[in-house]
């Protein structure tokens, strides 16, 4: 199975900060990588698909990038509504696998 | 309205069965692969199973193979998850999804 190693697990940050979350894939997954945001008691929300494409309705301060087997989600100018848990997902091959999650919280 | 609505969760004893349903509306259901994803209390997301457009191909995580069966009825725009031989570690909120759509989830609790 493909392992998705996500870091950090917790990320304290201040409003207005630029933050980056990373997932490293244990095997080649091409650009079959999605990022999700989940707030307490809510269903996950798709933020990024195809590693770099912004999903509909997602603010432009979110972006996705890839460098080799490392995939990153960057949030520019952090806002209070961005405080949530973020997960990556590889869907290149079954079984699909999620990263372990990054909890973004106010410092 | 475009939405997915799960139902069928509840409290069940270990070793028993439960069938989850997901009703789709507002889009052409038969055009999409569908999946079930679960989340144990206070834990992360875990992919469970996927099914192709016509139901001809199904895929499962190892821990549910042979116990869970994913199926669909395109005429009813519905997705199902038959869960047999349930274990305590199957306790989770189960989401029906086809990105970017997610249902609200249905909680399954396996306990005696």
């Amino acid at each position: 199975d493909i392992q998705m190693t996500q870091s950090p697990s917790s990320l304290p940050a201040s409003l207005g900060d630029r933050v980056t979350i990373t997932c490293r894939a244990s095997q080649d997954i091409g650009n079959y990588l999605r990022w999700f945001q989940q707030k307490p008691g809510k269903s996950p929300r798709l933020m990024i698909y195809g590693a770099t494409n912004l999903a509909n309705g997602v603010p432009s301060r979110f972006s996705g990038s890839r460098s080799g087997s490392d995939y990153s989600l960057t949030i520019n100018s952090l806002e209070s509504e961005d405080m949530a848990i973020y997960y990556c997902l590889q869907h290149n091959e079954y079984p699909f696998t999620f990263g372990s999650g990054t909890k973004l919280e106010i410092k | 309205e475009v939405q997915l609505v799960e139902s069928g969760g509840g409290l069940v004893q270990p070793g028993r069965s439960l069938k989850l349903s997901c009703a789709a509306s507002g889009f052409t259901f038969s055009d999409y692969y569908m999946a079930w994803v679960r989340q144990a209390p206070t834990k992360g997301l875990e992919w469970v199973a996927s099914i192709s457009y016509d139901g001809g191909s199904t895929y499962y995580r190892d821990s549910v193979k042979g116990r869970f069966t994913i199926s669909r009825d395109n005429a009813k725009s519905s997705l199902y998850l038959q869960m047999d031989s349930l274990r305590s570690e199957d306790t989770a909120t189960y989401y029906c999804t086809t990105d970017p759509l997610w249902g609200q989830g249905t909680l399954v609790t396996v306990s005696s």
Side-chain angles (χ1 to χ4, degrees):
Chain A
D1 297 359
I2 297 175
Q3 307 302 315
M4 300 301 296
T5 303
Q6 186 170 344
S7 61
S9 57
S10 176
L11 183 52
S14 300
L15 299 182
D17 281 356
R18 179 175 187 264
V19 299
T20 297
I21 299 166
T22 298
C23 276
R24 174 167 291 176
S26 63
Q27 300 173 38
D28 178 42
I29 61 169
N31 284 332
Y32 291 95
L33 190 286
R34 293 174 179 157
W35 288 98
F36 296 89
Q37 176 194 70
Q38 189 178 32
K39 296 183 178 180
K42 299 294 188 182
S43 304
R45 175 191 179 191
L46 179 66
M47 306 300 282
I48 299 287
Y49 66 95
T52 61
N53 301 293
L54 210 59
N56 282 347
V58 174
S60 59
R61 62 181 180 275
F62 288 85
S63 63
S65 63
R66 173 189 177 187
S67 176
S69 61
D70 289 342
Y71 299 80
S72 297
L73 173 71
T74 297
I75 311 172
N76 287 303
S77 193
L78 208 56
E79 298 190 9
S80 57
E81 66 182 31
D82 302 334
M83 300 309 164
I85 299 177
Y86 292 85
Y87 297 93
C88 63
L89 166 72
Q90 73 78 21
H91 59 105
N92 181 63
E93 67 176 49
Y94 293 106
F96 293 171
T97 43
F98 286 91
S100 55
T102 295
K103 187 174 185 179
L104 185 55
E105 48 199 1
I106 295 178
K107 191 184 295 182
Chain B
E1 183 184 1
V2 178
Q3 63 178 354
L4 298 169
V5 179
E6 302 95 337
S7 60
L11 175 63
V12 61
Q13 292 179 327
R16 305 298 291 264
S17 299
L18 203 61
K19 186 173 185 176
L20 306 183
S21 299
C22 171
S25 59
F27 64 100
T28 306
F29 181 71
S30 57
D31 284 352
Y32 295 88
Y33 269 57
M34 297 295 300
W36 289 98
V37 170
R38 68 185 179 185
Q39 186 169 36
T42 74
K43 300 298 184 183
L45 299 170
E46 185 175 81
W47 172 82
V48 175
S50 291
I51 188 167
S52 61
Y53 313 106
D54 63 354
S57 296
T58 56
Y59 311 87
Y60 301 91
R61 66 180 302 104
D62 283 349
S63 61
V64 308
K65 269 181 198 172
R67 300 189 300 120
F68 288 13
T69 303
I70 188 172
S71 62
R72 66 191 297 163
D73 184 336
N74 286 342
K76 295 182 178 180
S77 294
S78 292
L79 177 71
Y80 306 101
L81 186 67
Q82 175 68 45
M83 303 185 295
D84 299 323
S85 302
L86 282 161
R87 305 168 180 167
S88 58
E89 55 264 36
D90 296 319
T91 293
T93 295
Y94 285 74
Y95 295 100
C96 162
T97 178
T98 183
D99 273 325
L101 265 185
W102 288 68
Q104 84 287 355
T106 187
L107 178 61
V108 173
T109 303
V110 184
S111 174
S112 54

